[in-house]
Amino acid sequence: MSNTDTINLDSVIDVQNEHYRTELVALFKSCAMNTIVAEGEKTIDEIKLLAKNGCKQSLYITDKIDEKKLIQHEAIPSIKLENLLLVDDETKDQIIDSNGLMKFEHVLSCNQEHVPHLQLMNTIRKIRETKYFGVDKCVSYGAYVHRYVLSHSDQRQWFRDALFEFVIGLSSVLGRPTDAYAQFAVEVQEELLMNAIWDANPKLQEVDRRVPIALLPQETVQVEWSFDGTHLAIGVRDSFGSFSKPTIYKYLKFLFASEKKSMIRLQQEAAGAGLGLFMVLERLSSLIVTVAPQKSTEVIAVLNLSTSPKAFSKKQRSFQFFSV
């Protein structure tokens, strides 16, 4: 029996790391995906064959950036590719200034032992079900989702206090104090709310943010939290869909820079561009941006609460961008 509410999804694996490649094949097999392993120019032939056989959408997974090949892939008609780049500590600094980085919708961190299983499974689920919005798709299945609506800028204080208390309450689950996690979570949420209330709204971009603002019904902001025992997901969704791709990829660079000179340069760029998310991004496990152009932007920040707060800036990170 087939599920008519989902779409078929194939995958083309072009990965040099043998361990990652073997793991990906097994993972995609468990997801009942048609999987092709190809390298070099063979990937182009395989994608053309998929398109000829009626495949409408496929994942292309690689651990290197070959901009010429990606452009050739784009030119193949009748098939949509979701480009996914795997990075680890040995490769992430090499991608920061590559123009080809803009060709990837998904950049996922590996820990040199395993590919990120949960994020890959969640990505497959989103594409297959064509349901992209919501923090429930970024945590383990069954985790409860807290949903709220912000209709006035002054309500940010309530959201700060409520989230802080929520994370403090997780200390019994994690078996250790959660004060530092709570502070990080509040700072993340505050930055996302500031972006959704003022930056996303063309009417309010130049308004003094110290002046309280009542939002119209069509301007309200949706907020979600969910915790699955390990990951805390904080989602903020506006009603404008104006988040630009260059801004998104500037954030992506912040997520993956680890070499000291790169970090200093990016911090200087952030200061010049007024990007308050920089300090926030250092603490995230994942940043997921979903844009329905001119309709809605959702930014989901995921924190791994099993990681020591002191190690947040050193941990593996992942970035995903969906345009729907």
Side-chain angles (χ1 to χ4, degrees):
M1 182 179 294
S2 62
N3 187 343
T4 57
D5 293 330
T6 64
I7 63 171
N8 292 325
L9 184 65
D10 296 296
S11 63
V12 177
I13 299 174
D14 178 13
V15 174
Q16 292 178 324
N17 185 301
E18 184 177 355
H19 180 72
Y20 294 161
R21 184 169 64 243
T22 301
E23 199 169 0
L24 286 167
V25 170
L27 180 66
F28 292 156
K29 183 178 180 181
S30 75
C31 297
M33 293 175 65
N34 175 40
T35 301
I36 298 165
V37 177
E39 292 184 27
E41 297 300 317
K42 292 182 179 179
T43 64
I44 300 170
D45 296 333
E46 293 291 356
I47 293 170
K48 286 181 178 178
L49 184 59
L50 284 174
K52 182 179 179 180
N53 291 337
C55 176
K56 301 297 183 184
Q57 195 162 6
S58 177
L59 281 176
Y60 171 69
I61 306 97
T62 186
D63 55 359
K64 57 188 178 296
I65 296 179
D66 184 335
E67 189 175 3
K68 180 181 177 182
K69 185 191 294 187
L70 293 168
I71 293 172
Q72 290 177 305
H73 290 175
E74 286 181 347
I76 299 172
S78 306
I79 187 169
K80 179 182 178 182
L81 293 177
E82 293 279 346
N83 293 324
L84 193 155
L85 178 66
L86 296 177
V87 299
D88 55 29
D89 282 339
E90 293 183 356
T91 61
K92 63 182 180 181
D93 277 315
Q94 301 168 17
I95 73 170
I96 295 300
D97 291 312
S98 171
N99 291 329
L101 188 62
M102 294 285 286
K103 300 290 185 183
F104 289 90
E105 292 81 17
H106 315 281
V107 182
L108 305 185
S109 289
C110 304
N111 62 7
Q112 295 180 312
E113 294 181 4
H114 298 290
V115 296
H117 300 153
L118 178 61
Q119 288 169 311
L120 284 166
M121 301 283 271
N122 286 340
T123 301
I124 293 167
R125 176 186 169 196
K126 284 184 178 185
I127 297 170
R128 275 181 162 169
E129 297 180 358
T130 63
K131 296 177 181 178
Y132 297 93
F133 290 100
V135 299
D136 59 307
K137 300 166 190 69
C138 305
V139 292
S140 298
Y141 182 79
Y144 184 78
V145 177
H146 302 259
R147 294 184 173 91
Y148 307 96
V149 176
L150 180 146
S151 58
H152 197 290
S153 61
D154 279 351
Q155 292 175 335
R156 287 167 29 240
Q157 184 61 55
W158 181 91
F159 279 95
R160 285 194 289 266
D161 295 342
L163 181 58
F164 189 87
E165 290 302 317
F166 176 74
V167 179
I168 288 293
L170 299 178
S171 61
S172 297
V173 178
L174 297 170
R176 58 183 178 276
T178 53
D179 304 63
Y181 300 117
Q183 187 59 42
F184 289 167
V186 166
E187 291 173 2
V188 169
Q189 178 181 249
E190 176 67 6
E191 288 294 345
L192 298 185
L193 288 175
M194 296 276 280
N195 285 347
I197 296 169
W198 283 281
D199 295 327
N201 189 335
K203 294 193 316 182
L204 301 180
Q205 289 173 355
E206 304 301 324
V207 171
D208 187 342
R209 299 187 181 193
R210 294 170 296 181
V211 179
I213 294 290
L215 302 178
L216 298 174
Q218 65 271 26
E219 298 173 332
T220 57
V221 176
Q222 299 176 49
V223 181
E224 294 183 344
W225 312 328
S226 188
F227 176 67
D228 64 6
T230 300
H231 297 95
L232 172 68
I234 302 167
V236 174
R237 181 176 177 181
D238 66 49
S239 302
F240 297 95
S242 59
F243 214 55
S244 68
K245 196 168 186 179
T247 299
I248 290 170
Y249 280 86
K250 190 176 286 287
Y251 294 160
L252 173 58
K253 289 185 177 185
F254 298 162
L255 274 173
F256 287 96
S258 62
E259 196 269 328
K260 191 171 183 180
K261 289 182 180 179
S262 297
M263 291 289 287
I264 292 172
R265 176 173 54 79
L266 290 169
Q267 288 185 56
Q268 291 171 342
E269 289 181 14
L275 299 176
L277 273 178
F278 175 72
M279 294 303 293
V280 167
L281 293 174
E282 282 196 299
R283 297 158 183 173
L284 301 184
S285 301
S286 303
L287 182 72
I288 302 101
V289 179
T290 305
V291 179
Q294 309 307 313
K295 293 181 180 179
S296 182
T297 296
E298 179 184 63
V299 182
I300 298 175
V302 180
L303 291 87
N304 184 346
L305 301 193
S306 67
T307 300
S308 164
K310 292 182 179 180
F312 270 12
S313 63
K314 299 178 181 179
K315 67 183 182 313
Q316 302 295 321
R317 298 184 178 92
S318 294
F319 168 85
Q320 294 189 275
F321 172 68
F322 297 93
S323 181
V324 300

